[in-house]
Amino acid sequence: MLCKKNHVIVGLTTFHNEMLKISIPALGKLKQKFLLIIHNDNPTTNITKRDIRKLGYGGDLHIINSNENLGPLMAKVSVIKTADRLKLTDTWIVFNDDDDMLIDLNVPDVAAHNFAIIQNSITIKNRVLDLLRAMDEPDNYIIDNEHIILSKPNRKITGTLVQTKHLIGMADILLTISDALLDIERSLTYRVPVDMIMWSLLNTYVRSVDANAVPIYMDKINYIKTELDSCQMKYGKLQHPVRNADEHYKKLLSKYESAFHIAMDAAALRG
C-alpha cells in the first residue's frame, strides 16, 4: 500500500469537526512526510478527503468515520488498530487532538529500547489572539506562565512519539476489557483524563514485554495545546473533579491499572 513508505503516523481524533480548522492547517505546514489517520468519533457527521484537502493537508490520508461515539480513549485505540491492519508496525505514532497543533515531527535516531520520544509542549490559555498568532506562525509566542504555559517535559500520550508496535500491544489488551473500562467511565461525574491514563498503561505494558525499554527526552517544543474553553461541563460531565482532583485521579488510575493487569495476566496464561 502507498502508506508503507511512511515511518510516522499522526493519529488525529475529532468529535467537534469544526476544530479541525486548528489542527489540520498546522499539519499541512509540516515538512516531514507522514500518514495522517483521522478517527471521526461523531456519528452524526462525515469527513471526506476533500474536506481535509480544503484545510491545507495534501499528504497520505486515511479517514475513519465511526458509526458510534467510542469516546477519546477507544477512538485512539481505533487509530492504533488501523495502523495494525495496514501492517504499519515498524513505525512511530503521535496523537494529535483536533483543537491542538503539532508543529514538529522530526524523529531522531534513537536506540531500539527507546519506546517513546518525550518532548515539550506549550498550552494557550485565556486569549484567542495567542491562538490566532500561533496558527499563523507556530513559533510566535512568549511563555509567560499565565497566558502561555510551558510543560517541560510533556508527559502525555498526546504529542509524544511512540513506537507503534508497543501501542498495538497495549491496544490489544484494552480491547479485551473495553466493557469494564466503559463501566468505570460511566460511574464518574467527571471526564476521564485519557492522556494520563493511556500514558500510564503504555508504560505498564512496555515494562511487561521489555525490562530495558525506556523513553528518551528531547528538550524542544513540538506541540501546542489550546485550553480556551472556560465551561465546567463538557459532553455532559465535569471537566475535572470538583475538589481533591489529584486524589480522585490517583484512585481512578488505580482502577484502570488493576483492570489492565488482570487482562495482561489472562493474556499471558492464554499465550
Side-chain angles (χ1 to χ4, degrees):
M1 301 182 72
L2 62 86
C3 304
K4 286 188 176 179
K5 66 177 179 289
N6 297 283
H7 72 287
V8 178
I9 298 166
V10 175
L12 195 155
T13 55
T14 180
F15 183 86
H16 293 302
N17 304 158
E18 299 89 345
M19 294 298 188
L20 295 174
K21 295 175 183 177
I22 298 174
S23 52
I24 297 297
L27 294 175
K29 294 176 182 177
L30 293 175
K31 296 179 181 179
Q32 302 92 343
K33 289 185 177 181
F34 58 94
L35 167 64
L36 173 60
I37 300 178
I38 299 175
H39 178 100
N40 175 24
D41 206 37
N42 187 342
T44 68
T45 66
N46 189 71
I47 296 174
T48 67
K49 287 189 176 182
R50 179 180 175 84
D51 295 330
I52 303 305
R53 300 304 186 209
K54 287 172 66 176
L55 290 173
Y57 176 73
D60 287 339
L61 177 62
H62 185 96
I63 299 173
I64 307 158
N65 284 298
S66 182
N67 294 322
E68 58 180 322
N69 177 219
L70 300 180
L73 191 155
M74 297 311 292
K76 287 181 171 61
V77 169
S78 171
V79 169
I80 296 167
K81 292 304 294 179
T82 297
D84 189 15
R85 286 191 294 272
L86 293 174
K87 302 187 184 304
L88 302 175
T89 55
D90 191 22
T91 57
W92 296 83
I93 290 181
V94 57
F95 286 108
N96 190 171
D97 285 345
D98 58 1
D99 58 347
D100 296 340
M101 288 176 279
L102 184 64
I103 60 173
D104 190 286
L105 206 53
N106 279 313
V107 181
D109 290 329
V110 297
H113 63 268
N114 294 134
F115 73 91
I117 302 170
I118 300 173
Q119 300 177 67
N120 304 328
S121 67
I122 62 167
T123 301
I124 297 174
K125 292 179 173 283
N126 307 321
R127 300 187 304 202
V128 175
L129 178 60
D130 291 322
L131 172 61
L132 295 175
R133 285 175 173 169
M135 289 174 67
D136 284 340
E137 298 180 59
D139 58 352
N140 185 12
Y141 58 82
I142 297 175
I143 297 169
D144 59 10
N145 291 319
E146 179 183 2
H147 304 297
I148 308 287
I149 299 173
L150 175 66
S151 294
K152 181 181 179 178
N154 171 40
R155 292 186 180 275
K156 300 286 182 67
I157 199 77
T158 304
T160 298
L161 285 155
V162 181
Q163 287 185 12
T164 301
K165 63 181 181 181
H166 290 308
L167 285 170
I168 291 171
M170 178 190 69
D172 287 341
I173 299 294
L174 289 173
L175 285 171
T176 68
I177 54 171
S178 58
D179 289 342
L181 300 184
L182 184 58
D183 287 341
I184 294 173
E185 183 176 353
R186 285 172 174 166
S187 71
L188 302 175
T189 59
Y190 55 88
R191 298 186 69 216
V192 175
V194 170
D195 256 2
M196 179 188 76
I197 296 290
M198 288 192 73
W199 178 247
S200 178
L201 297 184
L202 173 66
N203 279 268
T204 296
Y205 172 78
V206 171
R207 286 195 297 269
S208 75
V209 297
D210 184 355
N212 296 315
V214 291
I216 193 169
Y217 171 63
M218 291 178 61
D219 188 9
K220 59 185 291 191
I221 294 169
N222 75 316
Y223 198 71
I224 299 177
K225 305 177 185 180
T226 60
E227 291 185 5
L228 297 179
D229 288 339
S230 59
C231 59
Q232 292 186 342
M233 300 290 293
K234 191 172 184 180
Y235 305 127
K237 292 200 174 187
L238 291 166
Q239 291 270 36
H240 310 285
V242 174
R243 54 181 63 90
N244 299 324
D246 288 345
E247 188 64 26
H248 277 282
Y249 288 150
K250 183 179 179 180
K251 291 179 179 178
L252 179 61
L253 179 58
S254 178
K255 290 181 180 179
Y256 274 85
E257 286 280 2
S258 177
F260 193 75
H261 275 289
I262 291 171
M264 283 200 303
D265 291 343
L269 289 173
R270 290 193 301 268

